[in-house]
Amino acid sequence: MYTNAIEMVEVSPRDGLQNEKVMVSTADKLALIRRALAAGVRRIEVASFVNPRAVPQMADAEAVCAGLPQRGDVTFIGLVMNARGADRALATGRIDQLGAVSVATDTFAMANQGQTSDGSIEAATRIINMARTAGRLGQVTIAAAFGCPFEGEVADDRVAAMAEALAAAAPVEIALADTIGVANPHHVSRLVGRVREMIAPIPVRVHFHNTRGTGLANVWAAIEAGARTIDASIGGLGGCPFAPGAAGNVATEDVVYMLERAGVDTRLDLSGLFSANHWLAEVMGRQLPGMAARAPAFPKQLQEG
Ligand code: ZN
């Protein structure tokens, strides 16, 4: 099974930047997107269409969309929380896929998007239907699927019931997100396996944060459990403004290094990802959390492009 190709979804322009205090210019966001595409990324979260007062870093979502390259071979994703956000994303004419978010607990759902967990299932269902009506794709992420910053442990049964309810809306994919980075490989293996079986043939995507250093182990466990699509962020930037203590996403280049060395094809170019990391570190004015881009090249013929 390790020879199967894995699809990487690049989330740095949205999840990667949304929690950054320093405002990144629209031009730099577009440069980041171009660098990701040059490294082989074919599916990328470019912005979220949320209240700019709540997430100031995403206030230029429309401007980012207006500057996206014309690429028939790339899926541009816009994250939306409600019908208003979906309308905005669709109105740009550049978003191929709407990403909805349902939250596994009421407390986090209230903090993140001002609704109950069940309310977030209804909202996601509406968003998926809006995408379909507009001739676009709709997918949904179950946030805090492995643990909640406010309520603690999240029961597998709750996540499975949500996945079943969301599958009824026929999204193109359902993601399980470890929003605060508390998952472990055993938990991932169990929950991905269960949800995958439950929602088949709808595929499972996974989204991990490396808050406690378990990110890469969780990626591997998810692939072994049958997930074929992995979210990651160049440099390991990332965080959630509404989840206390949330740290970065798994770094794209670290995931790609691990998988390619293990014989799993990601279709991404590691040297292009390394140079994107180094460029982004200069934009952010600091070293980024990702590790592979800071290490000596291995094997030796792999040089920065
Ligand atoms: Zn995230």
Side-chain angles (χ1 to χ4, degrees):
M1 69 180 273
Y2 300 141
T3 56
N4 284 358
I6 293 296
E7 179 193 35
M8 300 294 298
V9 177
E10 181 58 36
V11 301
S12 55
R14 197 281 303 174
D15 204 352
L17 296 180
Q18 69 178 5
N19 207 29
E20 291 293 327
K21 302 288 172 281
V22 177
M23 284 299 139
V24 176
S25 69
T26 307
D28 278 342
K29 288 174 184 171
L30 289 167
L32 173 60
I33 291 165
R34 281 196 304 273
R35 282 174 180 271
L37 300 187
V41 166
R42 291 296 175 266
R43 205 171 149 205
I44 183 165
E45 221 177 52
V46 294
S48 64
F49 295 83
V50 294
N51 185 338
R53 282 190 303 276
V55 190
Q57 188 70 262
M58 294 290 113
D60 62 347
E62 275 84 357
V64 169
C65 287
L68 289 174
Q70 299 286 345
R71 289 282 295 261
D73 59 339
V74 174
T75 300
F76 293 118
I77 303 169
L79 194 83
V80 302
M81 301 290 174
N82 50 38
R84 180 152 184 267
D87 277 334
R88 281 177 59 199
L90 292 169
T92 67
R94 298 308 316 277
I95 294 296
D96 304 298
Q97 189 171 88
L98 297 183
V101 179
S102 289
V103 183
T105 64
D106 286 330
T107 314
F108 189 35
M110 275 297 176
N112 198 59
Q113 51 212 63
Q115 57 197 176
T116 62
S117 178
D118 282 343
S120 73
I121 296 174
E122 284 167 33
T125 298
R126 184 160 177 212
I127 290 162
I128 293 160
N129 288 335
M130 286 174 75
R132 189 180 297 113
T133 303
R136 308 283 159 159
L137 305 171
Q139 39 96 345
V140 57
T141 295
I142 301 178
F146 298 91
C148 170
F150 306 106
E151 297 186 24
E153 303 279 10
V154 172
D156 289 10
D157 285 349
R158 173 61 190 158
V159 178
M162 288 181 79
E164 192 170 34
L166 290 164
V172 295
E173 170 186 77
I174 296 177
L176 300 178
D178 183 19
T179 311
I180 55 169
V182 292
N184 66 77
H186 183 257
H187 191 174
V188 168
S189 174
R190 190 178 75 218
L191 192 60
V192 169
R194 178 168 170 185
V195 168
R196 179 173 171 253
E197 214 163 84
M198 175 170 272
I199 67 171
I202 298 170
V204 175
R205 191 181 85 243
V206 287
H207 179 105
F208 295 118
H209 284 260
N210 197 35
T211 316
R212 293 168 181 80
T214 54
L216 281 184
N218 291 337
V219 168
W220 189 260
I223 290 171
E224 284 202 308
R228 285 292 171 274
T229 305
I230 313 285
D231 282 0
S233 176
I234 288 169
L237 274 186
C240 174
F242 311 105
N249 293 86
V250 286
T252 308
E253 63 276 13
D254 292 4
V255 174
V256 169
Y257 177 82
M258 175 180 78
L259 295 182
E260 295 283 343
R261 290 288 295 163
V264 180
D265 184 17
T266 64
R267 302 195 182 93
L268 297 195
D269 167 44
L270 205 43
S271 60
L273 294 173
F274 286 170
S275 70
N277 170 305
H278 298 152
W279 172 84
L280 186 56
E282 276 188 30
V283 171
M284 304 313 295
R286 67 174 199 271
Q287 195 173 66
L288 305 180
M291 296 181 76
R294 287 189 261 148
F298 185 91
K300 279 207 180 336
Q301 61 269 28
L302 177 71
Q303 296 300 336
E304 181 169 337

